[in-house]
Amino acid sequence: MNANPIDEQLPAGRRRDRIADLVGRRGFIRTAELAREFRLSEVTIRTDLESLASDGLLSRVHGGALSLDRPVVERPFEEESSVGIEAKRAIGVTAASLVRSGDCVVIDVGTTTTQIALALLERDDLDDVVVVTNGLTIALALEQAVPRFTVIVSGGTLRPLQHSLVNPLATSVFASITADVAFIGCTGVDAAHGATNVNLPETDLKRLMTQTARRSYLVADGAKLGEAHLGVIAPLDTFEALVTAGASGAEISGLRGAGLTVIEADRDDDDDAAERDETGDAT
């Protein structure tokens, strides 16, 4: 956002032009952000957004507005699985290394989290692990680990695009457990906006998964860093760490500067140790 809020005395027509321009440049913007920037109530901003939407200048969505020129598109699971596969595999192996025998593990739906499930299958040192998931693909991948693992599927309403289960009913299982660790996927990780997701039904469940675990890890490949989408899962300080791979140094530095611990799955341990020595983080 701009350091200096826009003059709130702008006439309504000029203000709406400015709002349309902001949405067009950013792709998505929240009502609350616009209210702060223009020093106006959210009620007034909602009226502006509704007017602009009726004129065909943007798309009105819950919580804000989307640009018609830059819609955020959710890709099918199968299509997304092939994108950044090496980074996702690296994240999967590193995240799976954080699980111990006897743990109750929540695994969120997603292509990156599916790689965690596959990496857990390779951990022949693990026993008595309970996995709770809302992802049908994850549950099926872990089927061959039964009875060494206990696999619990949340239930709920099926979203075919991601093979995920959402409300109604999906929250009942997660609300009744305390997990040791949760791995939460997302479509955006941003220093200012936290962990976000492109669709709201899954966002609500991700938020609950995060709250039900003693330690919650965010997992996202480098392409998702610096992105902010419609649904806010949680602020960065909610998470034990972000496990990522294929990320730029600038993005990682920004997130670390915001207080988030970042585990780079595609870096050698020796490289990480050297970096800690240089920054003084090893003490």
Side-chain angles (χ1 to χ4, degrees), residues 77 88-89 91-92 95-96 106-120 131 133-135 137-139 141-142 162 182-186 206 209 217-220 224:
F77 183 95
K88 291 174 182 177
R89 284 174 180 158
I91 293 168
V106 167
I107 304 182
D108 183 23
V109 69
T111 57
T112 303
T113 49
T114 298
Q115 292 299 321
I116 299 174
L118 295 175
L120 286 173
V131 175
T133 185
N134 67 323
T137 304
I138 289 169
L142 290 171
Q162 298 298 326
F183 296 111
I184 309 298
C186 62
K206 291 172 188 287
M209 291 176 185
Y217 290 89
L218 198 58
V219 294
K224 298 180 177 67

PDB file of all heavy atoms in Angstrom, residues 77 88-89 91-92 95-96 106-120 131 133-135 137-139 141-142 162 182-186 206 209 217-220 224:
ATOM      1  N   PHE A  77      -6.173 -30.354 -10.043  1.00  0.00           N
ATOM      2  CA  PHE A  77      -5.105 -31.039  -9.321  1.00  0.00           C
ATOM      3  C   PHE A  77      -4.109 -31.681 -10.281  1.00  0.00           C
ATOM      4  O   PHE A  77      -2.892 -31.549 -10.116  1.00  0.00           O
ATOM      5  CB  PHE A  77      -5.730 -32.108  -8.412  1.00  0.00           C
ATOM      6  CG  PHE A  77      -4.735 -32.832  -7.550  1.00  0.00           C
ATOM      7  CD1 PHE A  77      -4.492 -32.422  -6.255  1.00  0.00           C
ATOM      8  CD2 PHE A  77      -4.053 -33.940  -8.027  1.00  0.00           C
ATOM      9  CE1 PHE A  77      -3.578 -33.088  -5.453  1.00  0.00           C
ATOM     10  CE2 PHE A  77      -3.132 -34.610  -7.243  1.00  0.00           C
ATOM     11  CZ  PHE A  77      -2.890 -34.175  -5.946  1.00  0.00           C
ATOM     12  N   LYS A  88       8.530 -29.428  -5.389  1.00  0.00           N
ATOM     13  CA  LYS A  88       7.520 -30.033  -4.518  1.00  0.00           C
ATOM     14  C   LYS A  88       8.028 -31.338  -3.904  1.00  0.00           C
ATOM     15  O   LYS A  88       7.749 -31.631  -2.729  1.00  0.00           O
ATOM     16  CB  LYS A  88       6.234 -30.276  -5.310  1.00  0.00           C
ATOM     17  CG  LYS A  88       5.521 -28.984  -5.688  1.00  0.00           C
ATOM     18  CD  LYS A  88       4.328 -29.226  -6.586  1.00  0.00           C
ATOM     19  CE  LYS A  88       3.680 -27.901  -6.984  1.00  0.00           C
ATOM     20  NZ  LYS A  88       2.552 -28.087  -7.913  1.00  0.00           N
ATOM     21  N   ARG A  89       8.776 -32.115  -4.670  1.00  0.00           N
ATOM     22  CA  ARG A  89       9.357 -33.339  -4.114  1.00  0.00           C
ATOM     23  C   ARG A  89      10.341 -33.029  -3.000  1.00  0.00           C
ATOM     24  O   ARG A  89      10.372 -33.697  -1.959  1.00  0.00           O
ATOM     25  CB  ARG A  89      10.038 -34.143  -5.221  1.00  0.00           C
ATOM     26  CG  ARG A  89       9.076 -34.875  -6.130  1.00  0.00           C
ATOM     27  CD  ARG A  89       9.813 -35.523  -7.286  1.00  0.00           C
ATOM     28  NE  ARG A  89       8.902 -36.237  -8.173  1.00  0.00           N
ATOM     29  CZ  ARG A  89       9.163 -36.530  -9.432  1.00  0.00           C
ATOM     30  NH1 ARG A  89      10.329 -36.158  -9.974  1.00  0.00           N
ATOM     31  NH2 ARG A  89       8.282 -37.185 -10.176  1.00  0.00           N
ATOM     32  N   ILE A  91      10.356 -30.391  -1.084  1.00  0.00           N
ATOM     33  CA  ILE A  91       9.565 -29.954   0.069  1.00  0.00           C
ATOM     34  C   ILE A  91       8.963 -31.164   0.780  1.00  0.00           C
ATOM     35  O   ILE A  91       8.968 -31.247   2.014  1.00  0.00           O
ATOM     36  CB  ILE A  91       8.450 -28.990  -0.380  1.00  0.00           C
ATOM     37  CG1 ILE A  91       9.056 -27.678  -0.888  1.00  0.00           C
ATOM     38  CG2 ILE A  91       7.472 -28.720   0.764  1.00  0.00           C
ATOM     39  CD1 ILE A  91       8.065 -26.787  -1.612  1.00  0.00           C
ATOM     40  N   GLY A  92       8.463 -32.119  -0.002  1.00  0.00           N
ATOM     41  CA  GLY A  92       7.847 -33.303   0.583  1.00  0.00           C
ATOM     42  C   GLY A  92       8.806 -34.076   1.458  1.00  0.00           C
ATOM     43  O   GLY A  92       8.467 -34.484   2.581  1.00  0.00           O
ATOM     44  N   ALA A  95       9.671 -31.930   4.648  1.00  0.00           N
ATOM     45  CA  ALA A  95       8.537 -31.878   5.577  1.00  0.00           C
ATOM     46  C   ALA A  95       8.323 -33.228   6.257  1.00  0.00           C
ATOM     47  O   ALA A  95       8.078 -33.297   7.468  1.00  0.00           O
ATOM     48  CB  ALA A  95       7.277 -31.449   4.836  1.00  0.00           C
ATOM     49  N   ALA A  96       8.420 -34.315   5.500  1.00  0.00           N
ATOM     50  CA  ALA A  96       8.221 -35.651   6.069  1.00  0.00           C
ATOM     51  C   ALA A  96       9.261 -35.967   7.140  1.00  0.00           C
ATOM     52  O   ALA A  96       8.994 -36.726   8.074  1.00  0.00           O
ATOM     53  CB  ALA A  96       8.256 -36.703   4.964  1.00  0.00           C
ATOM     54  N   VAL A 106      -1.750 -33.807  10.565  1.00  0.00           N
ATOM     55  CA  VAL A 106      -2.767 -33.272   9.662  1.00  0.00           C
ATOM     56  C   VAL A 106      -2.087 -32.897   8.352  1.00  0.00           C
ATOM     57  O   VAL A 106      -1.089 -32.157   8.347  1.00  0.00           O
ATOM     58  CB  VAL A 106      -3.459 -32.040  10.280  1.00  0.00           C
ATOM     59  CG1 VAL A 106      -4.284 -31.302   9.228  1.00  0.00           C
ATOM     60  CG2 VAL A 106      -4.340 -32.450  11.447  1.00  0.00           C
ATOM     61  N   ILE A 107      -2.605 -33.439   7.256  1.00  0.00           N
ATOM     62  CA  ILE A 107      -2.064 -33.108   5.932  1.00  0.00           C
ATOM     63  C   ILE A 107      -3.173 -32.488   5.088  1.00  0.00           C
ATOM     64  O   ILE A 107      -4.166 -33.146   4.758  1.00  0.00           O
ATOM     65  CB  ILE A 107      -1.471 -34.341   5.219  1.00  0.00           C
ATOM     66  CG1 ILE A 107      -0.393 -34.998   6.086  1.00  0.00           C
ATOM     67  CG2 ILE A 107      -0.884 -33.931   3.871  1.00  0.00           C
ATOM     68  CD1 ILE A 107       0.280 -36.197   5.433  1.00  0.00           C
ATOM     69  N   ASP A 108      -2.997 -31.258   4.766  1.00  0.00           N
ATOM     70  CA  ASP A 108      -3.935 -30.492   3.957  1.00  0.00           C
ATOM     71  C   ASP A 108      -3.939 -30.996   2.514  1.00  0.00           C
ATOM     72  O   ASP A 108      -2.968 -31.605   2.044  1.00  0.00           O
ATOM     73  CB  ASP A 108      -3.499 -29.027   4.025  1.00  0.00           C
ATOM     74  CG  ASP A 108      -4.405 -28.081   3.288  1.00  0.00           C
ATOM     75  OD1 ASP A 108      -5.576 -28.418   3.071  1.00  0.00           O
ATOM     76  OD2 ASP A 108      -3.929 -26.981   2.937  1.00  0.00           O
ATOM     77  N   VAL A 109      -5.004 -30.713   1.801  1.00  0.00           N
ATOM     78  CA  VAL A 109      -5.098 -31.080   0.397  1.00  0.00           C
ATOM     79  C   VAL A 109      -4.107 -30.268  -0.433  1.00  0.00           C
ATOM     80  O   VAL A 109      -3.760 -29.137  -0.077  1.00  0.00           O
ATOM     81  CB  VAL A 109      -6.535 -30.858  -0.113  1.00  0.00           C
ATOM     82  CG1 VAL A 109      -6.870 -29.369  -0.176  1.00  0.00           C
ATOM     83  CG2 VAL A 109      -6.752 -31.513  -1.469  1.00  0.00           C
ATOM     84  N   GLY A 110      -3.635 -30.837  -1.542  1.00  0.00           N
ATOM     85  CA  GLY A 110      -2.769 -30.078  -2.445  1.00  0.00           C
ATOM     86  C   GLY A 110      -1.727 -30.952  -3.104  1.00  0.00           C
ATOM     87  O   GLY A 110      -1.457 -32.077  -2.667  1.00  0.00           O
ATOM     88  N   THR A 111      -1.117 -30.428  -4.160  1.00  0.00           N
ATOM     89  CA  THR A 111      -0.091 -31.196  -4.873  1.00  0.00           C
ATOM     90  C   THR A 111       1.216 -31.242  -4.094  1.00  0.00           C
ATOM     91  O   THR A 111       1.925 -32.248  -4.130  1.00  0.00           O
ATOM     92  CB  THR A 111       0.142 -30.587  -6.264  1.00  0.00           C
ATOM     93  OG1 THR A 111       0.510 -29.199  -6.136  1.00  0.00           O
ATOM     94  CG2 THR A 111      -1.109 -30.684  -7.122  1.00  0.00           C
ATOM     95  N   THR A 112       1.556 -30.165  -3.384  1.00  0.00           N
ATOM     96  CA  THR A 112       2.770 -30.177  -2.568  1.00  0.00           C
ATOM     97  C   THR A 112       2.604 -31.088  -1.363  1.00  0.00           C
ATOM     98  O   THR A 112       3.505 -31.861  -1.019  1.00  0.00           O
ATOM     99  CB  THR A 112       3.129 -28.750  -2.109  1.00  0.00           C
ATOM    100  OG1 THR A 112       3.275 -27.907  -3.256  1.00  0.00           O
ATOM    101  CG2 THR A 112       4.431 -28.739  -1.319  1.00  0.00           C
ATOM    102  N   THR A 113       1.453 -31.013  -0.712  1.00  0.00           N
ATOM    103  CA  THR A 113       1.214 -31.869   0.448  1.00  0.00           C
ATOM    104  C   THR A 113       1.110 -33.338   0.056  1.00  0.00           C
ATOM    105  O   THR A 113       1.443 -34.220   0.857  1.00  0.00           O
ATOM    106  CB  THR A 113      -0.053 -31.425   1.195  1.00  0.00           C
ATOM    107  OG1 THR A 113      -1.121 -31.258   0.256  1.00  0.00           O
ATOM    108  CG2 THR A 113       0.175 -30.126   1.949  1.00  0.00           C
ATOM    109  N   THR A 114       0.683 -33.620  -1.169  1.00  0.00           N
ATOM    110  CA  THR A 114       0.683 -35.002  -1.643  1.00  0.00           C
ATOM    111  C   THR A 114       2.102 -35.556  -1.688  1.00  0.00           C
ATOM    112  O   THR A 114       2.344 -36.732  -1.389  1.00  0.00           O
ATOM    113  CB  THR A 114       0.025 -35.105  -3.037  1.00  0.00           C
ATOM    114  OG1 THR A 114      -1.348 -34.690  -2.935  1.00  0.00           O
ATOM    115  CG2 THR A 114       0.069 -36.535  -3.567  1.00  0.00           C
ATOM    116  N   GLN A 115       3.062 -34.699  -2.021  1.00  0.00           N
ATOM    117  CA  GLN A 115       4.460 -35.131  -2.015  1.00  0.00           C
ATOM    118  C   GLN A 115       4.938 -35.437  -0.595  1.00  0.00           C
ATOM    119  O   GLN A 115       5.812 -36.298  -0.398  1.00  0.00           O
ATOM    120  CB  GLN A 115       5.340 -34.065  -2.657  1.00  0.00           C
ATOM    121  CG  GLN A 115       5.121 -33.895  -4.158  1.00  0.00           C
ATOM    122  CD  GLN A 115       5.438 -35.175  -4.933  1.00  0.00           C
ATOM    123  OE1 GLN A 115       6.392 -35.888  -4.625  1.00  0.00           O
ATOM    124  NE2 GLN A 115       4.633 -35.461  -5.947  1.00  0.00           N
ATOM    125  N   ILE A 116       4.374 -34.771   0.401  1.00  0.00           N
ATOM    126  CA  ILE A 116       4.694 -35.111   1.795  1.00  0.00           C
ATOM    127  C   ILE A 116       4.196 -36.516   2.104  1.00  0.00           C
ATOM    128  O   ILE A 116       4.906 -37.327   2.720  1.00  0.00           O
ATOM    129  CB  ILE A 116       4.062 -34.094   2.760  1.00  0.00           C
ATOM    130  CG1 ILE A 116       4.609 -32.690   2.491  1.00  0.00           C
ATOM    131  CG2 ILE A 116       4.324 -34.503   4.215  1.00  0.00           C
ATOM    132  CD1 ILE A 116       3.923 -31.602   3.313  1.00  0.00           C
ATOM    133  N   ALA A 117       2.965 -36.816   1.678  1.00  0.00           N
ATOM    134  CA  ALA A 117       2.413 -38.155   1.907  1.00  0.00           C
ATOM    135  C   ALA A 117       3.283 -39.222   1.254  1.00  0.00           C
ATOM    136  O   ALA A 117       3.575 -40.267   1.853  1.00  0.00           O
ATOM    137  CB  ALA A 117       0.982 -38.218   1.373  1.00  0.00           C
ATOM    138  N   LEU A 118       3.708 -38.973   0.023  1.00  0.00           N
ATOM    139  CA  LEU A 118       4.554 -39.950  -0.676  1.00  0.00           C
ATOM    140  C   LEU A 118       5.900 -40.119   0.021  1.00  0.00           C
ATOM    141  O   LEU A 118       6.432 -41.234   0.101  1.00  0.00           O
ATOM    142  CB  LEU A 118       4.754 -39.507  -2.129  1.00  0.00           C
ATOM    143  CG  LEU A 118       3.483 -39.480  -2.994  1.00  0.00           C
ATOM    144  CD1 LEU A 118       3.779 -38.904  -4.370  1.00  0.00           C
ATOM    145  CD2 LEU A 118       2.879 -40.885  -3.123  1.00  0.00           C
ATOM    146  N   ALA A 119       6.440 -39.020   0.545  1.00  0.00           N
ATOM    147  CA  ALA A 119       7.710 -39.108   1.272  1.00  0.00           C
ATOM    148  C   ALA A 119       7.539 -39.859   2.593  1.00  0.00           C
ATOM    149  O   ALA A 119       8.447 -40.576   3.033  1.00  0.00           O
ATOM    150  CB  ALA A 119       8.270 -37.715   1.522  1.00  0.00           C
ATOM    151  N   LEU A 120       6.401 -39.708   3.242  1.00  0.00           N
ATOM    152  CA  LEU A 120       6.134 -40.451   4.477  1.00  0.00           C
ATOM    153  C   LEU A 120       6.115 -41.954   4.217  1.00  0.00           C
ATOM    154  O   LEU A 120       6.544 -42.748   5.068  1.00  0.00           O
ATOM    155  CB  LEU A 120       4.813 -40.005   5.093  1.00  0.00           C
ATOM    156  CG  LEU A 120       4.810 -38.645   5.787  1.00  0.00           C
ATOM    157  CD1 LEU A 120       3.396 -38.265   6.207  1.00  0.00           C
ATOM    158  CD2 LEU A 120       5.730 -38.660   7.007  1.00  0.00           C
ATOM    159  N   VAL A 131      -2.649 -40.130  10.399  1.00  0.00           N
ATOM    160  CA  VAL A 131      -2.743 -39.037   9.427  1.00  0.00           C
ATOM    161  C   VAL A 131      -4.215 -38.679   9.245  1.00  0.00           C
ATOM    162  O   VAL A 131      -5.041 -39.550   8.974  1.00  0.00           O
ATOM    163  CB  VAL A 131      -2.132 -39.425   8.066  1.00  0.00           C
ATOM    164  CG1 VAL A 131      -2.363 -38.304   7.046  1.00  0.00           C
ATOM    165  CG2 VAL A 131      -0.645 -39.710   8.207  1.00  0.00           C
ATOM    166  N   THR A 133      -6.651 -36.173   7.034  1.00  0.00           N
ATOM    167  CA  THR A 133      -6.584 -35.364   5.814  1.00  0.00           C
ATOM    168  C   THR A 133      -7.967 -35.109   5.233  1.00  0.00           C
ATOM    169  O   THR A 133      -8.905 -35.885   5.463  1.00  0.00           O
ATOM    170  CB  THR A 133      -5.694 -36.057   4.752  1.00  0.00           C
ATOM    171  OG1 THR A 133      -5.564 -35.183   3.608  1.00  0.00           O
ATOM    172  CG2 THR A 133      -6.279 -37.384   4.306  1.00  0.00           C
ATOM    173  N   ASN A 134      -8.072 -34.024   4.493  1.00  0.00           N
ATOM    174  CA  ASN A 134      -9.277 -33.752   3.714  1.00  0.00           C
ATOM    175  C   ASN A 134      -9.033 -33.963   2.224  1.00  0.00           C
ATOM    176  O   ASN A 134      -9.854 -33.579   1.395  1.00  0.00           O
ATOM    177  CB  ASN A 134      -9.766 -32.322   3.955  1.00  0.00           C
ATOM    178  CG  ASN A 134      -8.805 -31.278   3.408  1.00  0.00           C
ATOM    179  OD1 ASN A 134      -7.588 -31.447   3.466  1.00  0.00           O
ATOM    180  ND2 ASN A 134      -9.347 -30.183   2.882  1.00  0.00           N
ATOM    181  N   GLY A 135      -7.899 -34.589   1.899  1.00  0.00           N
ATOM    182  CA  GLY A 135      -7.554 -34.827   0.497  1.00  0.00           C
ATOM    183  C   GLY A 135      -7.728 -36.285   0.118  1.00  0.00           C
ATOM    184  O   GLY A 135      -7.060 -37.162   0.688  1.00  0.00           O
ATOM    185  N   THR A 137      -6.840 -37.736  -2.660  1.00  0.00           N
ATOM    186  CA  THR A 137      -5.611 -38.222  -3.291  1.00  0.00           C
ATOM    187  C   THR A 137      -4.585 -38.618  -2.230  1.00  0.00           C
ATOM    188  O   THR A 137      -3.890 -39.635  -2.368  1.00  0.00           O
ATOM    189  CB  THR A 137      -5.029 -37.143  -4.217  1.00  0.00           C
ATOM    190  OG1 THR A 137      -6.021 -36.764  -5.176  1.00  0.00           O
ATOM    191  CG2 THR A 137      -3.799 -37.650  -4.944  1.00  0.00           C
ATOM    192  N   ILE A 138      -4.486 -37.826  -1.177  1.00  0.00           N
ATOM    193  CA  ILE A 138      -3.550 -38.129  -0.099  1.00  0.00           C
ATOM    194  C   ILE A 138      -3.948 -39.405   0.631  1.00  0.00           C
ATOM    195  O   ILE A 138      -3.107 -40.263   0.928  1.00  0.00           O
ATOM    196  CB  ILE A 138      -3.471 -36.932   0.868  1.00  0.00           C
ATOM    197  CG1 ILE A 138      -2.747 -35.770   0.184  1.00  0.00           C
ATOM    198  CG2 ILE A 138      -2.768 -37.306   2.176  1.00  0.00           C
ATOM    199  CD1 ILE A 138      -2.830 -34.461   0.928  1.00  0.00           C
ATOM    200  N   ALA A 139      -5.234 -39.547   0.917  1.00  0.00           N
ATOM    201  CA  ALA A 139      -5.698 -40.755   1.604  1.00  0.00           C
ATOM    202  C   ALA A 139      -5.403 -42.009   0.781  1.00  0.00           C
ATOM    203  O   ALA A 139      -4.943 -43.022   1.321  1.00  0.00           O
ATOM    204  CB  ALA A 139      -7.200 -40.642   1.880  1.00  0.00           C
ATOM    205  N   ALA A 141      -3.065 -42.361  -1.508  1.00  0.00           N
ATOM    206  CA  ALA A 141      -1.616 -42.569  -1.570  1.00  0.00           C
ATOM    207  C   ALA A 141      -1.110 -43.275  -0.318  1.00  0.00           C
ATOM    208  O   ALA A 141      -0.184 -44.092  -0.376  1.00  0.00           O
ATOM    209  CB  ALA A 141      -0.906 -41.231  -1.742  1.00  0.00           C
ATOM    210  N   LEU A 142      -1.730 -42.973   0.836  1.00  0.00           N
ATOM    211  CA  LEU A 142      -1.278 -43.542   2.102  1.00  0.00           C
ATOM    212  C   LEU A 142      -1.903 -44.891   2.423  1.00  0.00           C
ATOM    213  O   LEU A 142      -1.548 -45.520   3.424  1.00  0.00           O
ATOM    214  CB  LEU A 142      -1.574 -42.564   3.238  1.00  0.00           C
ATOM    215  CG  LEU A 142      -0.735 -41.276   3.256  1.00  0.00           C
ATOM    216  CD1 LEU A 142      -1.272 -40.304   4.290  1.00  0.00           C
ATOM    217  CD2 LEU A 142       0.727 -41.597   3.526  1.00  0.00           C
ATOM    218  N   GLN A 162     -10.019 -30.188  -6.884  1.00  0.00           N
ATOM    219  CA  GLN A 162      -8.855 -30.537  -6.077  1.00  0.00           C
ATOM    220  C   GLN A 162      -9.000 -31.882  -5.371  1.00  0.00           C
ATOM    221  O   GLN A 162      -8.111 -32.280  -4.615  1.00  0.00           O
ATOM    222  CB  GLN A 162      -8.617 -29.442  -5.021  1.00  0.00           C
ATOM    223  CG  GLN A 162      -8.314 -28.079  -5.598  1.00  0.00           C
ATOM    224  CD  GLN A 162      -7.036 -28.073  -6.417  1.00  0.00           C
ATOM    225  OE1 GLN A 162      -6.092 -28.778  -6.121  1.00  0.00           O
ATOM    226  NE2 GLN A 162      -7.010 -27.266  -7.469  1.00  0.00           N
ATOM    227  N   ALA A 182       0.876 -30.132  11.669  1.00  0.00           N
ATOM    228  CA  ALA A 182       0.019 -29.943  10.498  1.00  0.00           C
ATOM    229  C   ALA A 182       0.848 -29.356   9.374  1.00  0.00           C
ATOM    230  O   ALA A 182       1.715 -28.495   9.600  1.00  0.00           O
ATOM    231  CB  ALA A 182      -1.156 -29.020  10.821  1.00  0.00           C
ATOM    232  N   PHE A 183       0.593 -29.842   8.173  1.00  0.00           N
ATOM    233  CA  PHE A 183       1.231 -29.299   6.975  1.00  0.00           C
ATOM    234  C   PHE A 183       0.145 -28.635   6.138  1.00  0.00           C
ATOM    235  O   PHE A 183      -0.782 -29.302   5.672  1.00  0.00           O
ATOM    236  CB  PHE A 183       1.929 -30.402   6.194  1.00  0.00           C
ATOM    237  CG  PHE A 183       3.069 -31.040   6.943  1.00  0.00           C
ATOM    238  CD1 PHE A 183       2.981 -32.346   7.401  1.00  0.00           C
ATOM    239  CD2 PHE A 183       4.223 -30.324   7.209  1.00  0.00           C
ATOM    240  CE1 PHE A 183       4.023 -32.937   8.106  1.00  0.00           C
ATOM    241  CE2 PHE A 183       5.282 -30.900   7.922  1.00  0.00           C
ATOM    242  CZ  PHE A 183       5.170 -32.205   8.365  1.00  0.00           C
ATOM    243  N   ILE A 184       0.273 -27.332   5.970  1.00  0.00           N
ATOM    244  CA  ILE A 184      -0.767 -26.521   5.343  1.00  0.00           C
ATOM    245  C   ILE A 184      -0.278 -25.990   4.001  1.00  0.00           C
ATOM    246  O   ILE A 184       0.757 -25.324   3.925  1.00  0.00           O
ATOM    247  CB  ILE A 184      -1.163 -25.339   6.242  1.00  0.00           C
ATOM    248  CG1 ILE A 184      -1.483 -25.806   7.667  1.00  0.00           C
ATOM    249  CG2 ILE A 184      -2.329 -24.565   5.644  1.00  0.00           C
ATOM    250  CD1 ILE A 184      -2.652 -26.764   7.754  1.00  0.00           C
ATOM    251  N   GLY A 185      -1.018 -26.290   2.950  1.00  0.00           N
ATOM    252  CA  GLY A 185      -0.718 -25.757   1.630  1.00  0.00           C
ATOM    253  C   GLY A 185      -1.407 -24.416   1.428  1.00  0.00           C
ATOM    254  O   GLY A 185      -2.293 -24.022   2.191  1.00  0.00           O
ATOM    255  N   CYS A 186      -1.009 -23.695   0.387  1.00  0.00           N
ATOM    256  CA  CYS A 186      -1.586 -22.389   0.111  1.00  0.00           C
ATOM    257  C   CYS A 186      -1.262 -22.017  -1.336  1.00  0.00           C
ATOM    258  O   CYS A 186      -0.511 -22.707  -2.007  1.00  0.00           O
ATOM    259  CB  CYS A 186      -1.025 -21.331   1.058  1.00  0.00           C
ATOM    260  SG  CYS A 186       0.759 -21.105   0.886  1.00  0.00           S
ATOM    261  N   LYS A 206      -8.414 -24.832   6.090  1.00  0.00           N
ATOM    262  CA  LYS A 206      -6.975 -24.666   6.350  1.00  0.00           C
ATOM    263  C   LYS A 206      -6.753 -23.909   7.658  1.00  0.00           C
ATOM    264  O   LYS A 206      -5.865 -24.239   8.453  1.00  0.00           O
ATOM    265  CB  LYS A 206      -6.311 -23.919   5.186  1.00  0.00           C
ATOM    266  CG  LYS A 206      -6.220 -24.697   3.880  1.00  0.00           C
ATOM    267  CD  LYS A 206      -5.729 -23.794   2.757  1.00  0.00           C
ATOM    268  CE  LYS A 206      -5.811 -24.459   1.397  1.00  0.00           C
ATOM    269  NZ  LYS A 206      -4.808 -25.499   1.200  1.00  0.00           N
ATOM    270  N   MET A 209      -7.347 -26.300  10.497  1.00  0.00           N
ATOM    271  CA  MET A 209      -6.245 -27.259  10.600  1.00  0.00           C
ATOM    272  C   MET A 209      -5.044 -26.632  11.311  1.00  0.00           C
ATOM    273  O   MET A 209      -4.390 -27.268  12.139  1.00  0.00           O
ATOM    274  CB  MET A 209      -5.821 -27.713   9.200  1.00  0.00           C
ATOM    275  CG  MET A 209      -6.805 -28.562   8.465  1.00  0.00           C
ATOM    276  SD  MET A 209      -6.147 -28.889   6.794  1.00  0.00           S
ATOM    277  CE  MET A 209      -7.521 -29.773   6.080  1.00  0.00           C
ATOM    278  N   TYR A 217       3.174 -26.154   9.930  1.00  0.00           N
ATOM    279  CA  TYR A 217       4.157 -25.758   8.932  1.00  0.00           C
ATOM    280  C   TYR A 217       3.434 -25.372   7.645  1.00  0.00           C
ATOM    281  O   TYR A 217       2.531 -26.084   7.183  1.00  0.00           O
ATOM    282  CB  TYR A 217       5.130 -26.898   8.638  1.00  0.00           C
ATOM    283  CG  TYR A 217       6.067 -27.206   9.769  1.00  0.00           C
ATOM    284  CD1 TYR A 217       5.711 -28.130  10.751  1.00  0.00           C
ATOM    285  CD2 TYR A 217       7.307 -26.582   9.875  1.00  0.00           C
ATOM    286  CE1 TYR A 217       6.559 -28.424  11.812  1.00  0.00           C
ATOM    287  CE2 TYR A 217       8.169 -26.861  10.922  1.00  0.00           C
ATOM    288  CZ  TYR A 217       7.786 -27.783  11.890  1.00  0.00           C
ATOM    289  OH  TYR A 217       8.630 -28.059  12.932  1.00  0.00           O
ATOM    290  N   LEU A 218       3.847 -24.271   7.071  1.00  0.00           N
ATOM    291  CA  LEU A 218       3.360 -23.844   5.771  1.00  0.00           C
ATOM    292  C   LEU A 218       4.267 -24.455   4.713  1.00  0.00           C
ATOM    293  O   LEU A 218       5.497 -24.451   4.863  1.00  0.00           O
ATOM    294  CB  LEU A 218       3.423 -22.335   5.705  1.00  0.00           C
ATOM    295  CG  LEU A 218       2.612 -21.579   4.660  1.00  0.00           C
ATOM    296  CD1 LEU A 218       1.137 -21.894   4.788  1.00  0.00           C
ATOM    297  CD2 LEU A 218       2.868 -20.082   4.821  1.00  0.00           C
ATOM    298  N   VAL A 219       3.690 -25.021   3.673  1.00  0.00           N
ATOM    299  CA  VAL A 219       4.491 -25.611   2.590  1.00  0.00           C
ATOM    300  C   VAL A 219       4.073 -24.971   1.271  1.00  0.00           C
ATOM    301  O   VAL A 219       2.906 -24.927   0.921  1.00  0.00           O
ATOM    302  CB  VAL A 219       4.334 -27.151   2.537  1.00  0.00           C
ATOM    303  CG1 VAL A 219       4.919 -27.784   3.785  1.00  0.00           C
ATOM    304  CG2 VAL A 219       2.891 -27.590   2.375  1.00  0.00           C
ATOM    305  N   ALA A 220       5.077 -24.444   0.544  1.00  0.00           N
ATOM    306  CA  ALA A 220       4.786 -23.750  -0.718  1.00  0.00           C
ATOM    307  C   ALA A 220       6.060 -23.651  -1.537  1.00  0.00           C
ATOM    308  O   ALA A 220       7.125 -23.329  -1.000  1.00  0.00           O
ATOM    309  CB  ALA A 220       4.237 -22.350  -0.446  1.00  0.00           C
ATOM    310  N   LYS A 224       4.939 -19.421  -5.311  1.00  0.00           N
ATOM    311  CA  LYS A 224       3.843 -18.887  -4.492  1.00  0.00           C
ATOM    312  C   LYS A 224       4.290 -17.772  -3.553  1.00  0.00           C
ATOM    313  O   LYS A 224       3.454 -17.107  -2.943  1.00  0.00           O
ATOM    314  CB  LYS A 224       3.192 -20.027  -3.701  1.00  0.00           C
ATOM    315  CG  LYS A 224       2.565 -21.101  -4.577  1.00  0.00           C
ATOM    316  CD  LYS A 224       1.945 -22.206  -3.742  1.00  0.00           C
ATOM    317  CE  LYS A 224       1.243 -23.239  -4.622  1.00  0.00           C
ATOM    318  NZ  LYS A 224       2.192 -23.990  -5.438  1.00  0.00           N
TER     319      LYS A 224
END
